[in-house]
């Protein structure tokens, strides 16, 4: 089922506030084979919050996660994520193209702290593979 | 251009399971051969974000700390297929400084798996 083109330009509600804890950061650092240093949050950690926004989006468009392949991801930081931050992601659908029956979705998620300040912007391209 | 020291990382199926749990990305293409092949993939593939996280570890090392990274990202151009064995696959990250001024350095990053480029258009901007 192709994804509805009228979604382009749509801004989704912010995800539920996510508290960045030392335990979670350590778990994430270990999962990427990094030596967890006190207070240092891996640069790709904001994907945890961005992924929550993407899941909300996929539920809305009734797309199956297993049909999604990641095409591109870019981060631009205003500041590093810190333990104790309470983050939220707001996803905007930038573009939608259809190539060979696959939907190519471009999204931007703004990752903000509890005071509303921007921590980072992350752009994602998702490929929704056509049913065979 | 200044070449940076190449770094290698091994990725096994166990790493994919661990990354799924830590990141919350439970897409079955990263742990089920059946689902992965049903959507046309050659087999279970690594999370693109795991490969990117490994590349970020190399960039952190070159930059002298994660907090120096201002921008980075890549296209996931080829899947990293992870076999169901104990050996896994090796991802190699190389980089060179492509631009530099007083306060910023741009690093062009190449990431390969078994000699094949898996990330495209990867660059990182770091504070000098």
């Amino acid at each position: 089922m192709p994804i509805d083109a009228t979604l382009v330009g749509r801004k989704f509600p912010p995800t539920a506030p996510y508290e960045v804890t030392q335990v979670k950061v350590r778990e994430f650092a270990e999962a990427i084979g990094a030596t967890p240093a006190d207070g240092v949050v891996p640069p790709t950690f904001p994907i945890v919050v961005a992924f929550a926004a993407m899941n909300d989006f996929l539920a809305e468009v009734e797309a199956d996660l297993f049909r999604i392949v990641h095409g591109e991801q870019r981060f631009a930081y205003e500041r590093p994520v810190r333990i104790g931050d309470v983050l939220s992601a707001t996803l905007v659908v930038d573009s939608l193209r259809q190539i060979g029956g696959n939907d190519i979705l471009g999204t931007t998620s703004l990752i903000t702290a509890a005071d509303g300040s921007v921590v980072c912007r992350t752009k994602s391209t998702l490929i929704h593979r056509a049913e065979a | 251009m200044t070449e940076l020291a190449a770094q290698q990382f091994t990725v096994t199926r166990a790493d994919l399971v661990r990354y799924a749990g830590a990141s919350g990305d439970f897409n079955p293409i990263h742990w089920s051969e059946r689902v992965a092949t049903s959507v046309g993939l050659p087999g279970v593939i690594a999370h693109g974000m795991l490969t990117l996280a490994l590349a970020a570890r190399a960039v952190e090392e070159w930059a002298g700390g994660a907090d120096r990274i201002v921008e980075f990202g890549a296209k996931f151009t080829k899947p990293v297929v992870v076999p169901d064995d104990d050996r896994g696959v090796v991802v190699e990250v190389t980089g060179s400084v492509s631009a530099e001024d007083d306060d910023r350095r741009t690093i062009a990053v190449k990431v390969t798996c078994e000699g094949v480029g898996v990330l495209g258009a990867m660059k990182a901007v770091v504070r000098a």
Side-chain angles (χ1 to χ4, degrees):
Chain A
M1 184 186 65
I3 288 174
D4 178 5
T6 63
L7 283 168
V8 176
R10 177 134 164 230
K11 183 176 178 177
F12 281 73
T15 54
Y18 178 94
E19 187 184 349
V20 179
T21 64
Q22 181 133 33
V23 171
K24 186 66 197 182
V25 168
R26 183 173 289 268
E27 181 191 6
F28 189 89
E30 285 173 352
I32 61 168
T35 310
D38 279 347
V40 177
V41 179
T44 60
F45 187 83
I47 200 67
V48 172
V49 186
F51 196 79
M54 190 196 75
N55 273 336
D56 289 352
F57 166 76
L58 293 180
E60 176 78 18
V61 300
E62 296 177 348
D64 296 314
L65 180 61
F66 73 92
R67 295 199 179 281
I68 300 286
V69 175
H70 209 163
E72 183 169 9
Q73 191 77 35
R74 296 193 180 273
F75 298 88
Y77 306 90
E78 292 296 322
R79 67 162 174 84
V81 174
R82 292 189 281 262
I83 288 163
D85 277 338
V86 177
L87 302 177
S88 185
T90 306
L91 181 145
V92 176
V93 181
D94 296 325
S95 61
L96 177 63
R97 292 179 292 149
Q98 261 109 19
I99 296 176
N102 297 330
D103 296 299
I104 320 286
L105 272 161
T107 69
T108 300
S109 292
L110 195 64
I111 314 283
T112 52
D115 64 1
S117 63
V118 176
V119 175
C120 80
R121 287 176 183 79
T122 184
K123 280 186 169 295
S124 183
T125 304
L126 303 172
I127 300 149
H128 180 258
R129 295 169 78 102
E131 285 171 53
Chain B
M1 290 209 301
T2 312
E3 296 296 322
L4 300 159
Q7 297 192 47
Q8 294 190 328
F9 305 95
T10 299
V11 180
T12 66
R13 285 283 179 95
D15 294 322
L16 303 189
V17 173
R18 181 180 277 226
Y19 183 79
S23 68
D25 182 348
F26 293 101
N27 190 333
I29 62 172
H30 305 304
W31 49 267
S32 167
E33 198 87 27
R34 176 179 54 83
V35 175
T37 54
S38 82
V39 292
L41 293 166
V44 164
I45 64 168
H47 303 74
M49 285 306 301
L50 173 57
T51 309
L52 191 61
L54 298 175
R57 281 179 56 199
V59 173
E60 281 173 55
E61 177 90 15
W62 296 327
D67 55 357
R68 289 181 187 264
I69 300 176
V70 180
E71 266 180 56
F72 91 116
K75 291 183 179 179
F76 305 108
T77 49
K78 285 270 194 300
V80 172
V81 180
V82 181
D84 185 10
D85 62 21
D86 298 324
R87 192 178 60 89
V89 285
V90 175
V91 169
E92 184 172 78
V93 185
T94 58
S96 56
V97 177
S98 59
E100 195 161 18
D101 64 24
D102 287 348
D103 49 44
R104 300 267 162 115
R105 276 200 298 168
T106 303
I107 302 172
V109 186
K110 284 206 168 74
V111 181
T112 57
C113 178
E114 322 265 281
V116 177
V118 291
L119 299 188
M122 176 154 187
K123 71 164 195 174
V125 178
V126 304
R127 269 190 285 275

